[in-house]
Amino acid sequence: MKYFFAIIYIITTVAINAQETHKRTLKLMGSRFDITVVANNKTEADTYIDIAVTEISRIEKLISSWDENSQTSKINRNAGIKAVHVDKELFDLIERAIQISKLTDGAFDISYASMDRIWKFDGSVTKMPTPENIKASVAKVGYQHIILDKEKQTVFLKIKGMKIGFGAIGKGYAADKAKQLLKQKGVQAGIINASGDMNTWGTQTNGDQWKVGITNPMNKNNVFALLPISERAVVTSGNYEKYIMINGKRYSHIIDPRTGYPSSGIVSVSVFAPSAELADALATSVFVMGKDVGLNFINQLKGIECIIVDEKGKIVHSTNIDIQDKLKNE
């Protein structure tokens, strides 16, 4: 449902003192992860990063729909058949996802995995599918059909063939959990960057806040916004490398789960929120809602900010964001 491209740069300053900044890049959950920690030495940093990797791998096994032994796969296999008992962690994650679905009026929906794949973004699609095929493609989608029993801790998908998936929030959730665990272990500062799903805590070794520079994907050589970020998450998602053109109009690979039609009008969205999980879900929602509706939606949420680049390269942002450098449309 989402395609990530890193257009956020962490700007760091490494001070010469007792602590150092250490970073490791690796592939987890099928994506690039950059894990940065502030530690006393490399040995200590490696230990902490290993802890984060183990936690992210644990989460992947819990939420993966590709692993037939995962609880998520068991839920999907039993759609329309019976309720499935799951761990509290997975139950709570699904419950939060449903709450976001309600908040966004279905623009975000973890049952998007039920969609028939009638859209291809490899250049083979040159005309719109028929309205009948598009409508049929989302017939099994709908968070309203996910039944939760809090007392029994079970999940039931009412429609046979229905599926849930965590492609839109999974990496954000993993970044949150890795950050939480490292803080519990005594790591005072760091960054978990999960292919554009980024969570930070603490400060740089010189006491300065972490800073993110955001570029316009239409002009990647220029940073148009520089923002301090601490104890916050920022998620950037974009469609500038995965889209189709039909009759001169650009359509994103991000499909509206309510209608089956691709989103259009937006090239990238950066959302700032208290958690990467929430920022992840809202970034998807804004893509689906469109620029005007998406901005109005974000402006109503306390503690949430966003920056949008539309298909013409115009940059807009929510009213509650504080941008240090002057915002420029390139």
Side-chain angles (χ1 to χ4, degrees):
M1 189 171 183
K2 292 185 68 177
Y3 180 83
F4 297 94
F5 188 88
I7 66 168
I8 291 184
Y9 301 93
I10 283 288
I11 300 171
T12 63
T13 302
V14 179
I16 302 175
N17 58 21
Q19 290 199 312
E20 305 166 345
T21 300
H22 297 269
K23 175 182 173 182
R24 188 190 303 173
T25 299
L26 61 165
K27 188 173 183 179
L28 296 165
M29 302 180 76
S31 302
R32 170 174 168 161
F33 272 68
D34 297 296
I35 303 174
T36 302
V37 296
V38 172
N40 292 316
N41 51 61
K42 185 178 185 302
T43 300
E44 182 180 76
D46 284 342
T47 298
Y48 288 140
I49 292 173
D50 287 343
I51 290 172
V53 170
T54 299
E55 176 69 354
I56 293 165
S57 299
R58 180 189 69 81
I59 292 167
E60 181 178 20
K61 290 180 181 178
L62 180 69
I63 68 175
S64 173
S65 56
W66 300 102
D67 181 355
E68 62 180 16
N69 295 316
S70 73
Q71 292 183 20
T72 300
S73 292
K74 188 175 181 181
I75 292 170
N76 291 342
R77 281 197 306 271
N78 285 280
I81 301 172
K82 65 178 181 178
V84 175
H85 181 269
V86 298
D87 291 348
K88 186 177 187 303
E89 180 179 11
L90 183 59
F91 184 93
D92 291 345
L93 180 61
I94 294 171
E95 187 175 44
R96 291 196 302 274
I98 292 175
Q99 290 171 350
I100 293 296
S101 298
K102 292 177 180 177
L103 180 66
T104 62
D105 194 27
F108 169 84
D109 193 327
I110 61 168
S111 69
Y112 79 93
S114 310
M115 284 191 289
D116 294 333
R117 302 297 189 261
I118 63 172
W119 298 97
K120 295 181 180 180
F121 297 87
D122 56 5
S124 62
V125 175
T126 57
K127 63 179 182 179
M128 298 286 283
T130 66
E132 293 76 18
N133 286 342
I134 293 173
K135 183 177 180 180
S137 72
V138 293
K140 297 175 183 176
V141 177
Y143 67 91
Q144 303 92 336
H145 304 302
I146 303 174
I147 308 302
L148 302 183
D149 187 321
K150 202 173 188 69
E151 184 177 339
K152 295 180 180 178
Q153 210 167 287
T154 60
V155 181
F156 177 52
L157 309 183
K158 290 174 62 176
I159 304 173
K160 193 169 181 60
M162 189 177 178
K163 297 177 182 178
I164 59 172
F166 296 94
I169 59 170
K171 288 188 286 292
Y173 177 64
D176 290 339
K177 293 295 287 184
K179 166 187 169 179
Q180 181 184 23
L181 183 57
L182 289 180
K183 289 181 69 176
Q184 291 173 354
K185 297 294 183 180
V187 181
Q188 296 182 359
I191 307 161
I192 309 294
N193 184 358
S195 296
D197 292 18
M198 188 180 301
N199 211 333
T200 69
W201 73 102
T203 63
Q204 299 182 57
T205 54
N206 65 350
D208 289 347
Q209 288 182 300
W210 303 110
K211 292 182 176 65
V212 292
I214 302 177
T215 68
N216 187 333
M218 316 293 280
N219 188 357
K220 298 177 184 177
N221 293 323
N222 292 328
V223 173
F224 68 78
L226 180 65
L227 299 100
I229 180 170
S230 182
E231 299 296 338
R232 298 272 287 169
V234 54
V235 168
T236 290
S237 59
N239 75 332
Y240 29 88
E241 291 188 349
K242 198 173 183 182
Y243 60 90
I244 55 176
M245 299 292 294
I246 300 178
N247 297 327
K249 186 173 182 179
R250 178 187 184 122
Y251 292 93
S252 167
H253 71 288
I254 298 175
I255 310 297
D256 187 335
R258 302 167 298 186
T259 66
Y261 284 85
S263 59
S264 63
I266 293 178
V267 174
S268 77
V269 177
S270 297
V271 174
F272 298 79
S275 72
E277 176 192 326
L278 178 59
D280 214 345
L282 294 180
T284 298
S285 302
V286 171
F287 252 107
V288 170
M289 292 174 177
K291 182 175 66 175
D292 294 336
V293 175
L295 272 180
N296 181 61
F297 171 71
I298 294 296
N299 283 333
Q300 297 179 57
L301 303 178
K302 184 178 180 180
I304 310 293
E305 300 90 34
C306 80
I307 299 174
I308 298 172
V309 181
D310 71 15
E311 59 189 359
K312 296 180 180 179
K314 183 179 180 181
I315 302 160
V316 296
H317 62 92
S318 56
T319 56
N320 48 1
I321 198 166
D322 180 21
I323 297 179
Q324 289 183 347
D325 285 0
K326 184 178 180 182
L327 191 64
K328 295 182 290 186
N329 290 318
E330 301 295 341

